Amino acid sequence: GLFSFQSIAFNISAGHLPLLSKLGTWMDRRRERDVAREFIKRLAVRTPHERQPVSAMSGGNAQKVVLARQLVERPDVLVLAEPTQGVDVGAKEEIHKIVRSLADEGTAVLIVTSDLAEAIRISDRLQVVRAGTTTVEFGPGASQADVLAAAAGAVDQEEAA
């Protein structure tokens, strides 16, 4: 979620008061701006400055701001639900690179997505959930046809292995 009428800096720092405050009570605005600028650069957020309201941004850039907030204090585990839903192709590619980089650096990343092409493209391991149960697990190189067959119930775990 976003505070859409607040600045990028506010949205990135939300939830990190202990890290970005002086004496645990007052927000260190300079540190807040520095952290925002760092993530704007790192995630290639297209904006003139960190004070821009998120409501004035494209969907892809707003999605990157949400992601930046989760990365301020590097997580051991990152759970993303539909991380590229509603964003343009360019932003989708940039988000995929960020997620892949996090995974390569040791962060466990769990992505829940209904975008089959996205799931196959960025997953090291793909699990098909049908009727509330994990039915089949695929490794890298799974085909769309096999994953769709598993989702439809035509393939079970033994057949996929």
Side-chain angles (χ1 to χ4, degrees), residues 7-83:
S7 70
I8 295 168
F10 179 93
N11 274 275
I12 291 174
S13 66
H16 300 286
L17 184 60
L19 177 70
L20 300 173
S21 65
K22 292 179 183 176
L23 306 173
T25 55
W26 304 101
M27 180 62 80
D28 182 343
R29 297 296 176 192
R30 175 184 280 169
R31 176 94 172 105
E32 179 185 48
R33 285 188 306 272
D34 290 346
V35 168
R37 287 180 190 135
E38 173 189 336
F39 279 100
I40 286 168
K41 181 177 179 182
R42 181 175 167 197
L43 303 184
V45 178
R46 288 173 185 83
T47 181
H49 48 74
E50 73 282 354
R51 297 177 317 277
Q52 179 176 4
V54 174
S55 60
M57 302 175 72
S58 70
N61 284 302
Q63 197 81 320
K64 290 180 200 176
V65 171
V66 172
L67 185 55
R69 179 183 328 137
Q70 303 312 311
L71 303 179
V72 169
E73 298 178 69
R74 184 160 179 244
D76 293 328
V77 178
L78 180 63
V79 179
L80 301 171
E82 304 290 352

Side-chain angles (χ1 to χ4, degrees), residues 27-151:
M27 180 62 80
D28 182 343
R29 297 296 176 192
R30 175 184 280 169
R31 176 94 172 105
E32 179 185 48
R33 285 188 306 272
D34 290 346
V35 168
R37 287 180 190 135
E38 173 189 336
F39 279 100
I40 286 168
K41 181 177 179 182
R42 181 175 167 197
L43 303 184
V45 178
R46 288 173 185 83
T47 181
H49 48 74
E50 73 282 354
R51 297 177 317 277
Q52 179 176 4
V54 174
S55 60
M57 302 175 72
S58 70
N61 284 302
Q63 197 81 320
K64 290 180 200 176
V65 171
V66 172
L67 185 55
R69 179 183 328 137
Q70 303 312 311
L71 303 179
V72 169
E73 298 178 69
R74 184 160 179 244
D76 293 328
V77 178
L78 180 63
V79 179
L80 301 171
E82 304 290 352
T84 61
Q85 184 175 20
V87 302
D88 64 48
V89 174
K92 184 180 276 195
E93 180 65 29
E94 289 174 352
I95 291 169
H96 287 171
K97 284 179 185 176
I98 294 162
V99 169
R100 173 56 50 207
S101 175
L102 287 167
D104 289 347
E105 293 169 7
T107 297
V109 182
L110 172 64
I111 298 175
V112 179
T113 183
S114 57
D115 183 337
L116 180 57
E118 174 175 65
I120 291 172
R121 182 167 186 268
I122 64 173
S123 298
D124 292 328
R125 204 169 76 181
L126 190 145
Q127 294 186 336
V128 176
V129 177
R130 189 168 54 84
T133 304
T134 300
T135 58
V136 181
E137 182 176 313
F138 295 94
S143 74
Q144 285 192 5
D146 289 342
V147 175
L148 284 172

